[in-house]
Amino acid sequence: MADVAVVGAQWGDEGKGKIVDWLSARADVVVRFQGGHNAGHTLVIDGAVYKLSLLPSGVVRKGCLGVIGSGVVVDPFALLAEIDRIKEQGVEITPENLYIAENASLILPVHQELDALREGAAAGVKIGTTKRGIGPAYEDKAGRRGLRVIDLADLSSLKGKIENLLVHHNALRRGFGVDDIDADALFQTLSAVAPKIAPFAKPVWRELDEARKAGKRILFEGAQGVLLDVDHGTYPYVTSSNTVAGQAATGSGLGPRAVNYVLGIVKAYTTRVGEGPFPTELHDDTGKRLGERGHEFGTVTGRQRRCGWFDACLVRQSLKIAGVDGIALTKLDVLDGFDELKVCVGYRIDGEDFDYLPAGAHRQAAAEPIYETMEGWSGSSERARSWADLPAQAVKYVRRIEELIETPVALVSTSPERDDVILMRDPFQD
C-alpha cells in the first residue's frame, strides 16, 4: 500500500477537496501540510455541501483521523469557528479525530491587520492576497519571533513572547500611521482561546510515525497549487509557503520516504484568483462561459476566478517540479458543448518560442500562448464513471492532455459528487 501526497498542479482551485475526500475513503489518516485558512475545499457528499478551510478533508468521514501539520499556519479563531460550523452539519470534531502539531505557527489578528495595510498601501506590488494574515505569519515564523500552538499551553511565558513579537509589529504599524497593538489586550485574547485549542495539540511527528509503523494509510493534503509555490511559482504573485509535494515531508514531520505516490490535481481548463501572469486568460464570452459553467468563485473569499484555456506547457512544468506520478483531471464536464477547444503548447515571448514559462516576471507578463485547436463534443460527460460513458472527443481530449503533460491520468472527475470518478489507477495501490 502506498502513502499518497495530493498537490494542486495549477494556481489552486483545481478541485482537490473532492479528490482528497474520495481518496480518504481508502485512508486512515489525512494530513494538511502547508498553507492556512486562505485555502478552501468544497466537498459534496450525499447532497450535503461541506466547505473546509483549515480542517483536513478527511474529518467529515467517520474513522478517519485529521492532522494539521507543522507546515500549516493556524488561526485559532478561524479554526474554532470552522469546527462549530461543521458541528452544525452533524460532524463532531474532537481531540480524538483531529490532531494539531504543537509546533505549528499561529496566525494572530495583528497578522491580518498587517496583510490589509500592505494590500491597501498606495505603493508596492499588489499580490491580491486574501488578507487573512498568512504571509505575515510565515514571515514571523522565519524571523523566529512567531507564536506557536504549544505557547498556548504555557501562559506564564506567553506574555513575554507577545511583547517580543510586538517590538517588530508595532514598528511596522507606526510606519503605516496606525496605533500600536496593546500587549496586555492580545494576551487576554489568546488566554481566552487557549483552553479550547490546547487539547488538540500533539507531537504530530510521533503520532504519524506510529501510524506508519502500524501499516495505516496516510494521505497528505496540500493547499493552493504548485504555481503559487514561493520558490517555483509565478513570483512575486505567490503564496508564502512551499506548495510542492516535497513539503509534505517537512510540513508533517515525516521523512521524504513517507510519500510513495504524488497525485497532481489538474483542472481541464485554467483558472486563477488574484493578480499575476495568466497566459491563456480569456476576457471574452468563452471565458465568461467557463466561469459560469464551472461556478468559478472562491470557496473562502467568494472572489470570481479568472478563466482560460488549458495550459499544457505550464502544467507539464509544474508536474515535473512537484515530482508528480499521475494526475486527477477535474471538471471535464464543464467543457461539454464547446464546438472547439484550445490547448496551450508553448509561448512566444518577444519573438522567441519557449516550451516552459521563464522565471522573470517581465517575461511571464509578455508570454503569448501558442495554441493547438481540438474538436469539442456535443454529448455529456457529466457524471460519467467509465470511459464508455464519455463522448469520443472527450476521450481524445484527455489522451492528448496526457501526451502533452508527459504524465499519466490516474483519475477523471466528471462532477462535484464524490463517486463521479473514472478510475484508471488507484494511487494507494501503485
Side-chain angles (χ1 to χ4, degrees), residues 355-383:
D355 63 356
Y356 70 99
L357 189 66
H362 65 292
R363 285 191 159 186
Q364 292 178 353
E368 298 177 5
I370 299 172
Y371 283 122
E372 178 179 300
T373 301
M374 298 185 64
E375 183 182 349
W377 55 88
S378 57
S380 175
S381 65
E382 187 175 8
R383 310 207 72 169

Side-chain angles (χ1 to χ4, degrees), residues 27-29 58 61-65 97:
D28 302 298
V29 184
R61 296 191 64 255
K62 289 184 178 179
C64 188
L65 173 65
N97 64 1

